[in-house]
Amino acid sequence: MPRQPVDVIKRYLEDAIAAEKNFESQLRDFAEEGHHSHIQRLFARHADETRSQYERLTNRLHALGGSPSGMKSMLAHMFGSMPKVAQIGHDDAEQVTQNILMAYTVEQSEIAMYEALAAAAAAAGDNVTESLAREIQSEERRTADLLWQELPRAARSSFDEVTGRRTMTP
Ligand SMILES: [Fe+2]
């Protein structure tokens, strides 16, 4: 039996809420690690933004008559397990680079997640959810851009720390 459009949108919202909640705690951990204060601030700021994102999503879900299910979406699982996997085989000094890389990957997944939500909401004629998805998507894009800019510098500084600034000899 076909499902009601509103139920489909509620499911998308629940998934996004679960993913954002999971990512907020990852970001708080990232903000504690390393000693690059501007990168730590970037993580802390986006953790706050992420909290505001799932609050806005939760408000919308309530307005549609739903409530967060507590069920973990596929993305939430992915966000939860990636960082530990990424750090296997890396020195401590490389952790910040790995954190940026992971956070960048999560942001890109979120951009895709909100693209799907926006498209489904548009198909359902739910303009409010569509513009919320677009608004959050542009916040994720901004963060992804900032992380991308930080990546080479962090990789360089990790390299220097791990090697004692030695370059390769032929
Ligand atoms: Fe987010």
Side-chain angles (χ1 to χ4, degrees):
M1 206 173 76
R3 287 201 278 155
Q4 291 298 321
V6 68
D7 292 331
V8 176
I9 300 305
K10 285 197 282 195
R11 238 322 254 300
Y12 269 94
L13 286 167
E14 285 174 27
D15 283 354
I17 292 163
E20 296 293 3
K21 278 191 175 163
N22 206 284
F23 191 39
E24 187 203 353
S25 54
Q26 293 295 335
L27 285 164
R28 303 254 176 235
D29 289 346
F30 290 170
E32 297 296 312
E33 289 167 6
H35 45 262
H36 297 81
S37 56
H38 72 285
I39 293 174
Q40 290 174 308
R41 272 198 304 276
L42 198 162
F43 284 136
R45 255 199 324 271
H46 193 55
D48 292 340
E49 191 169 52
T50 298
R51 174 181 290 260
S52 133
Q53 289 170 349
Y54 74 66
E55 285 169 356
R56 280 174 278 160
L57 294 163
T58 305
N59 288 341
R60 183 61 193 147
L61 180 60
H62 286 153
L64 294 175
S67 57
S69 66
M71 218 184 67
K72 273 197 171 184
S73 65
M74 184 273 282
L75 278 182
H77 276 296
M78 202 172 93
F79 297 173
S81 62
M82 271 198 314
K84 287 168 210 86
V85 174
Q87 277 155 27
I88 294 170
H90 284 280
D91 286 295
D92 279 357
E94 290 172 320
Q95 198 169 332
V96 172
T97 305
Q98 293 299 306
N99 290 351
I100 294 175
L101 199 153
M102 279 305 111
Y104 178 79
T105 306
V106 171
E107 294 307 333
Q108 293 297 345
S109 306
E110 289 186 321
I111 290 166
M113 177 175 80
Y114 289 112
E115 188 64 31
L117 173 57
D126 178 353
N127 297 336
V128 178
T129 302
E130 186 190 358
S131 27
L132 177 61
R134 292 283 173 217
E135 175 187 305
I136 297 178
Q137 189 185 46
S138 70
E139 296 167 3
E140 313 298 26
R141 278 216 171 92
R142 199 168 50 236
T143 301
D145 288 347
L146 290 171
L147 290 164
W148 183 254
Q149 287 164 28
E150 293 299 336
L151 191 52
R153 196 170 9 169
R156 171 70 205 225
S157 129
S158 299
F159 177 85
D160 288 347
E161 211 171 311
V162 169
T163 59
R165 291 177 184 276
R166 275 194 293 271
T167 53
M168 287 205 280
T169 42

